[in-house]
Amino acid sequence: MLLTGAEIICECLLEQGVDTVFGYPGGAALNTYDALYEYRDKIKHVLTAHEQGASHAADGYARSTGRVGVVMTTSGPGATNIVTGIATANIDSIPVVAITGNVTTDQLGRDSFQEVDIVDIVKPITKASYLVERVEDLAPTIRKAFALAQEGRKGPVLVDVPKDVTANKTEFTPAEPEQPPVFAVKNPESVRVIQDMIRKSKRPMIYAGGGILSGNASPEFKAFAELIDAPVCGSLMGLGCIPASHPLCMGNIGMHGGYETSMATAECDLMIACGARFSDRVAGDREKFGEQATIIQLEIDEKEINKNVCVDEYLLGDVKESLIALTVGLEQQSHTDWIKQIGEWKHHFDNKKLPESEYPLPKDILDAVNEIKSDDDIIATDVGQHQMWVAQYSKIEKNKTLLTSGGMGTMGYGMGAAIGAQTANPDKRVFLITGDGSFHMNLNELVTMKSYDLPVIILVMNNTVLGMVRQWQKLFYGSRFSQTDPHRATDFTALANAFGVEGMRINTKEDIKPVLKKAFDLKKTVVIDCRISPDQNVLPMIPPGKTVNEIITEM
């Protein structure tokens, strides 16, 4: 077939099984968008209010489906507006392909209108970035981008296509999509060594990371945890790799993890990190993190071995393959006393009375969300105190049902992610848990939710301050609240109505369940203004660079 470059882009997307793209048109991308018009019955395009929203939507689509998310933009500011979304996907290992337009090849490097060297801009935050200067190279480059995004440790890839390349024609030959290779365990001789370590352990624990989810290894992981009878402490990205209701699931680990997960880290004799990278928000003082334990790492990315924490042994390969290898020939283990001890730590604060508050409590709101949502429904978050409350209180029973910016900590991520997830999963309900600070960043995407009739329930934990930064100012800056009380007068219910969506408010504890049920039953976009206390803190908290011995349990 003799096709234009723009038509080749669409054909390649269809080859890769893409049914939805997120984006925003512009001059340099006009040929591509003209082709999308012809392909509109095969490829759905979701027009967001801003390119950043489109990049986060592609990310949310990918996280909630396990497929590659696609974002398309024009050149210049259209391309630079997706940089934050690309960086967010990169650090969390999310497969996204970005296709940007650019000026014609003869105008490159001349500071032309809306020209920017996006390929070099994103090199540090992508697996690869390509400039396609010949239409003959377009199909191979797009195919390479999709293969690379899904290969090994997943991540974003950018393809920049000048306008004349999308107009020029060449012969197009269809091809089957390249299947990502399976990374077999590269050091199988270590399997028996690790199995012996497991047999000798009296107090094992598993530190579970997002690699389990991106590696589609949740069933194998659950079987492994049960076989070695070890408590599972999940990073923010690892939540959902084992059901929250499972007796071995101990919840979130790290700075705002539970007392039990912090104590398990400090008292275990064997720590197995699965698809986790020992982030500073988990490890704290990396020299002392798990210093009493033998540490094992199961990792696909060789650069992550011994990068943050020195380990005693490791398996390098797909986490699924590593887990399968470890289970073969390993007997059922039992650690009843150790599990019982962690259970006691889990109830360490049960008798601690929460401070009286005239405001509804975040825990009560999230408990109500747990009651009304199904296990298949999806929670997206922004970044801040509300994100940590979700990690502490939300019951994540299935993988790919918690979407959150873990490594980048991107405020404003949640609106786009919720759009992507709800678009990809029309039979599920998406709950966006956000804060007033994060919500202000990308609230323009309410117009997208309304335009596409997406029944997302948005709960704004509205404490009228920048809660997490303010909490740090309380603890470490002598309560000098510099620029964390913005005195904004936004009426979120009126704002929602202005966008044509439903606006509701939770003022008291008694409002929580009836308002949430009303919102759920509407099956429309709803914004719920949850008026929580500005002095509500996220506790417990291990200060940055510290250990569980310095845990803060009250302010």
Side-chain angles (χ1 to χ4, degrees):
M1 295 184 288
L2 191 65
L3 299 179
T4 66
E7 292 168 330
I8 288 171
I9 289 173
C10 294
E11 287 291 337
C12 285
L13 292 177
L14 291 176
E15 275 183 5
Q16 299 295 328
V18 174
D19 56 13
T20 306
V21 300
F22 304 88
Y24 205 99
L30 275 175
N31 294 330
T32 304
Y33 272 81
D34 192 50
L36 280 172
Y37 181 83
E38 297 300 325
Y39 284 78
R40 63 189 181 277
D41 293 336
K42 299 176 181 177
I43 301 172
K44 178 179 181 177
H45 182 281
V46 176
L47 175 66
T48 55
H50 189 282
E51 291 92 351
Q52 186 183 130
S55 65
H56 293 323
D59 176 302
Y61 179 100
R63 292 191 202 222
S64 64
T65 63
R67 299 162 62 189
V68 178
V70 180
V71 57
M72 301 180 72
T73 77
T74 189
S75 61
T80 58
N81 280 345
I82 65 172
V83 169
T84 298
I86 290 172
T88 301
N90 182 61
I91 199 166
D92 285 347
S93 305
I94 307 303
V96 170
V97 169
I99 301 174
T100 54
N102 212 331
V103 299
T104 56
T105 51
D106 63 318
Q107 293 298 318
L108 290 171
R110 297 174 181 266
D111 290 335
S112 304
F113 177 69
Q114 289 193 334
E115 181 200 358
V116 72
D117 184 0
I118 191 64
V119 169
D120 278 346
I121 288 172
V122 302
K123 273 184 179 177
I125 54 169
T126 55
K127 294 188 74 174
S129 57
Y130 305 105
L131 171 65
V132 182
E133 297 187 77
R134 299 170 63 250
V135 68
E136 293 82 4
D137 298 329
L138 185 54
T141 304
I142 291 176
R143 290 164 180 157
K144 187 192 305 182
F146 273 87
L148 186 58
Q150 301 171 83
E151 178 184 306
R153 182 174 178 175
K154 300 174 184 179
V157 180
L158 182 136
V159 180
D160 193 35
V161 191
K163 190 172 184 179
D164 55 323
V165 175
T166 62
N168 294 339
K169 292 187 176 183
T170 192
E171 195 68 28
F172 174 78
T173 303
E176 290 293 318
E178 182 180 333
Q179 295 303 311
V182 174
F183 281 70
V185 178
K186 292 186 178 180
N187 55 331
E189 67 279 1
S190 294
V191 170
R192 291 190 181 278
V193 176
I194 294 173
Q195 287 179 331
D196 284 340
M197 291 175 172
I198 292 170
R199 291 185 181 102
K200 293 174 183 176
S201 172
K202 304 298 183 185
R203 302 185 307 280
M205 68 156 280
I206 302 175
Y207 160 31
I212 298 167
L213 303 179
S214 62
N216 296 312
S218 292
E220 292 79 7
F221 175 76
K222 178 173 173 286
F224 174 71
E226 291 172 344
L227 179 66
I228 70 170
D229 196 30
V232 176
C233 305
S235 72
L236 186 61
M237 294 298 298
L239 297 178
C241 67
I242 190 170
S245 58
H246 194 287
L248 290 176
C249 183
M250 299 300 153
N252 191 32
I253 187 175
M255 180 178 284
H256 291 291
Y259 180 76
E260 65 278 11
T261 59
S262 297
M263 288 301 296
T265 302
E267 297 294 331
C268 66
D269 63 8
L270 178 69
M271 181 186 297
I272 306 174
C274 295
R277 57 187 180 84
F278 298 97
S279 146
D280 59 300
R281 288 301 170 98
V282 169
D285 186 336
R286 290 187 172 118
E287 295 298 319
K288 296 181 179 178
F289 182 74
E291 62 180 344
Q292 80 292 338
T294 299
I295 301 179
I296 298 166
Q297 190 171 8
L298 276 52
E299 178 59 52
I300 196 170
D301 185 354
E302 190 169 5
K303 296 191 298 292
E304 293 296 334
I305 304 293
N306 292 320
K307 185 176 86 172
N308 291 322
V309 170
C310 291
V311 301
D312 298 285
E313 193 56 83
Y314 65 89
L315 287 184
L316 184 63
D318 277 340
V319 68
K320 183 194 289 273
E321 299 299 313
S322 296
L323 290 166
I324 291 171
L326 286 175
T327 58
V328 176
L330 184 62
E331 309 82 13
Q332 177 68 52
Q333 307 295 303
S334 177
H335 304 102
T336 306
D337 292 343
W338 172 235
I339 300 295
K340 181 181 177 182
Q341 172 64 75
I342 293 178
E344 292 173 2
W345 286 329
K346 194 168 189 175
H347 298 287
H348 185 73
F349 295 119
D350 281 1
N351 295 325
K352 187 177 179 66
K353 188 177 180 182
L354 292 173
E356 295 293 331
S357 177
E358 59 186 289
Y359 297 90
L361 297 175
K363 182 182 185 302
D364 292 337
I365 295 169
L366 293 172
D367 283 346
V369 172
N370 289 333
E371 288 179 21
I372 202 168
K373 78 176 186 70
S374 77
D375 291 347
D376 291 313
D377 288 338
I378 295 168
I379 291 179
T381 83
D382 274 299
V383 172
Q385 288 179 313
H386 66 274
Q387 181 189 32
M388 296 298 101
W389 287 322
V390 166
Q392 290 177 343
Y393 303 128
S394 292
K395 303 300 182 186
I396 310 300
E397 293 290 324
K398 294 191 176 181
N399 59 30
K400 299 182 177 64
T401 60
L402 174 62
L403 317 179
T404 192
S405 172
M408 192 70 172
T410 306
M411 293 177 69
Y413 164 82
M415 285 292 284
I419 289 168
Q422 192 67 83
T423 301
N425 302 275
D427 297 330
K428 301 179 182 181
R429 294 299 293 275
V430 175
F431 294 79
L432 169 58
I433 314 298
T434 183
D436 53 303
S438 287
F439 186 60
H440 273 116
M441 293 219 170
N442 275 332
L443 56 79
N444 53 343
E445 295 302 342
L446 280 174
V447 73
T448 308
M449 292 187 180
K450 172 61 178 176
S451 297
Y452 292 92
D453 295 320
L454 301 177
V456 178
I457 298 175
I458 303 165
L459 292 103
V460 183
M461 298 293 188
N462 181 12
N463 54 13
T464 72
V465 296
L466 304 182
M468 185 61 87
V469 185
R470 190 172 186 268
Q471 178 171 327
W472 280 52
Q473 288 173 336
K474 282 183 197 175
L475 286 167
F476 311 121
Y477 293 88
S479 293
R480 295 183 294 278
F481 299 128
S482 176
Q483 302 305 313
T484 51
D485 189 357
H487 301 289
R488 291 181 178 138
T490 309
D491 183 333
F492 290 121
T493 57
L495 176 81
N497 294 336
F499 276 99
V501 303
E502 297 289 330
M504 301 179 186
R505 183 172 286 122
I506 290 175
N507 287 311
T508 67
K509 183 176 181 178
E510 289 69 33
D511 294 336
I512 295 174
K513 289 187 178 180
V515 169
L516 193 57
K517 185 178 187 309
K518 182 179 178 183
F520 189 83
D521 291 343
L522 277 177
K523 298 182 180 178
K524 296 179 179 179
T525 306
V526 180
V527 176
I528 305 177
D529 181 3
C530 306
R531 305 306 296 267
I532 67 170
S533 169
D535 292 312
Q536 188 72 41
N537 300 300
V538 182
L539 296 173
M541 177 182 182
I542 298 176
K546 304 297 183 182
T547 69
V548 66
N549 295 323
E550 294 156 285
I551 193 169
I552 298 169
T553 60
E554 57 186 358
M555 303 281 280

